[in-house]
Each structure stands twice: as C-alpha cells, then as structure tokens.
Amino acid sequence: MPGKLITFEGIDGSGKSTMLSLLKENKDLKKPDDGIVFTREPTQNTLTGKAVYAAIENDVDPMAELFLFMADHAAHISETVRPNLSAGKIVISDRYSDSRCAYQGATLDKIIPNALDFIKNIHVGWTIVPDLTFLFDLTPEDSVERCKNRGEKTKFEKIEFLTQVRENFMTIAKTEPGRFVILDAKRPAEENEKIIVEKILSIL
Ligand SMILES: Nc1ncnc2c1ncn2[C@@H]1O[C@H](COP(=O)(O)OP(=O)(O)O)[C@@H](O)[C@H]1O
Ligand SMILES: Cc1cn([C@H]2C[C@H](O)[C@@H](COP(=O)(O)OP(=O)(O)O)O2)c(=O)[nH]c1=O
C-alpha cells in the first residue's frame, strides 16, 4: 500500500481525541500535499456505525456485538482506509482493530476460550495492519475520573472492565513491539504531541 496507516488506541478518556485535535493544527504535519485523512472507529453516521452505537448502548449478546464491530471495520476499510492508502495518503484512525481485541477480548473473556487470540485471528487475511500505533496508557481510575465530566456514558467505563482492557492493550503491544509506541497519557498533551510528530515524520 503506498500510503501509511497510523492508529491511536487506549482506554476511554486516555486523550486520543484531544491529541488528534492538536495534530490537525500541527504545523510540522501540515505540509501542503501531505494528504492526511483523519478517521475513526466506530465510524460516524454510517449504517454499520449506528448499529455499533445501538449495541453498546444496550445489552447485546457479546458475540453479536463483536461481529457488529467487525462489520463496521470492514465498511471502514473498504470505504475510507483502503481507497486513501491506495491514493498515497496518510490515514490516521482514532481507534482501530486493537480496540476490538482489547475490549471484546474482555467482554468475551470466560465466554469463549482465548478470546483475544480469537479476535486477532478473525482479522487476519483481509484487514490492513497499521504501520504505526500509539497506545495511550492510563490507569482505569484516572480514566473514570476523566470520563465523569463527559455527557453520555458507555457500559465500558467501569474500573474492573477497563483494567482488563488496559491489560489486553499491553499484551497486544508486547507481541508487536515494532508497531507500538506506548505513551504515558498523564503527561501534558503537548509533550506527547512532540513525540508523536517526530515518530510520524520518521516513517514518512
Ligand atoms: N494529557 C492530558 N492530561 C490531562 N487531561 C487530559 C489530557 N489529554 C486529555 N485530557 C482530558 O481528558 C478527557 C478525555 O480526553 P479525550 O481526548 O476525550 O479522550 P479519548 O478520546 O481517549 O476518550 C478530556 O476532558 C480531556 O480534556
Ligand atoms: C472501535 C471499538 C470501540 N470499542 C468501544 C470503545 C468505547 O468505549 C466505545 C465507543 O468508542 P468511542 O466513540 O471511540 O469512545 P471514546 O470517545 O470514549 O474513545 O466503543 C469497542 O469496544 N470495540 C471496538 O472495536
């Protein structure tokens, strides 16, 4: 693929959206024909994205929920990720496959054996693996504290659940150290921004 795919991952409230807003304004990344496309999962205002949000606002069977997220991922790849990478663009996604492995790896834990590996495996052969992934690491306690001030809550914003999700993210990062940059999400956003911009420029 001629372009580059960069993903941002981490538990709720770890600062991904804040960082992406900073990056959109970052002068060093704003060269005239860089062609950066910002996107996200779950996708917004799409049939599959709406199905995902309906599922996470309700009690849906966890396996059914996984496959709704998978359907949204497939649509995201075919409609946004692949066409832009083929056109040589840099695609930056707020959440991507690792969120599925980490979150649904936790919702499906004790329901199916080796949930995290199962989810990883159902991506193989058709997904597009990111060139680079920034993982914002935050304690679940800090996450819940930060999310307190946000309007809508998801069923995922609970300390015990987020502890497992955080562990899953770390497990995935350890198996692919070349792809991951782990950031301390408690540091000032501007400090992390510097690290991120340097790293992105180094792979272009
Ligand atoms: N580096 C940081 N230090 C302290 N607070 C932060 C930092 N980054 C983001 N926040 C705050 O934490 C909250 C959640 O951030 P947000 O970017 O929405 O997280 P996410 O997109 O990962 O869910 C917001 O109130 C935001 O202002
Ligand atoms: C992409 C994805 C998100 N999620 C979860 C993470 C969030 O709690 C929720 C909604 O995602 P999002 O709207 O990105 O929430 P936030 O802005 O708090 O990061 O869906 C999964 O469980 N699996 C997935 O594959």
Side-chain angles (χ1 to χ4, degrees):
M1 226 30 102
K4 295 280 181 207
L5 175 60
I6 299 166
T7 58
F8 283 66
E9 297 282 8
I11 61 175
D12 302 73
S14 56
K16 301 177 301 304
S17 326
T18 303
M19 184 58 65
L20 289 168
S21 303
L22 288 174
L23 292 183
K24 282 178 192 164
E25 301 304 320
N26 188 287
K27 303 261 181 322
D28 295 324
L29 279 183
K30 283 223 156 176
K31 294 192 214 91
D33 44 21
D34 259 353
I36 302 182
V37 174
F38 289 91
T39 181
R40 57 170 296 145
E41 285 187 20
T43 61
Q44 306 293 295
N45 304 317
T46 59
L47 188 148
T48 52
K50 281 179 191 159
V52 164
Y53 280 110
I56 59 185
E57 282 156 19
N58 292 287
D59 259 339
V60 171
D61 171 76
M63 189 61 105
E65 189 170 84
L66 165 67
F67 283 103
L68 290 175
F69 275 112
M70 291 301 288
D72 190 45
H73 182 57
H76 187 215
I77 287 188
S78 67
E79 284 157 29
T80 306
V81 179
R82 180 172 287 113
N84 281 300
L85 290 177
S86 299
K89 305 238 169 102
I90 302 163
V91 177
I92 298 187
S93 187
D94 184 352
R95 296 194 182 280
Y96 194 72
S97 307
D98 299 313
S99 278
R100 215 131 34 252
C101 296
Y103 281 77
Q104 278 61 55
T107 58
L108 287 168
D109 183 38
K110 299 191 182 78
I111 295 179
I112 56 168
N114 304 320
L116 203 159
D117 287 337
F118 172 81
I119 299 164
K120 241 184 180 179
N121 288 337
I122 56 173
H123 286 80
V124 173
W126 63 277
T127 195
I128 300 175
V129 178
D131 297 286
L132 184 60
T133 298
F134 294 101
L135 174 58
F136 286 70
D137 185 46
L138 188 69
T139 64
E141 289 78 10
D142 285 330
S143 158
V144 167
E145 185 59 34
R146 282 188 188 180
C147 292
K148 240 179 15 199
N149 305 325
R150 288 209 293 217
E152 30 12 303
K153 297 266 162 294
T154 75
K155 63 185 176 192
F156 299 135
E157 292 172 16
K158 310 227 170 68
I159 287 182
E160 201 183 326
F161 180 76
L162 291 174
T163 302
Q164 207 176 349
V165 175
R166 183 190 190 201
E167 278 169 17
N168 285 347
F169 272 129
M170 283 302 181
T171 302
I172 303 161
K174 273 191 203 127
T175 58
E176 293 176 76
R179 170 160 74 88
F180 277 88
V181 175
I182 300 172
L183 298 160
D184 176 356
K186 286 278 272 184
R187 287 167 60 169
E190 290 70 22
E191 278 182 29
N192 281 332
E193 182 186 12
K194 243 179 116 198
I195 298 170
I196 291 167
V197 170
E198 264 172 35
K199 185 69 191 175
I200 292 178
L201 293 176
S202 80
I203 66 154
L204 298 184

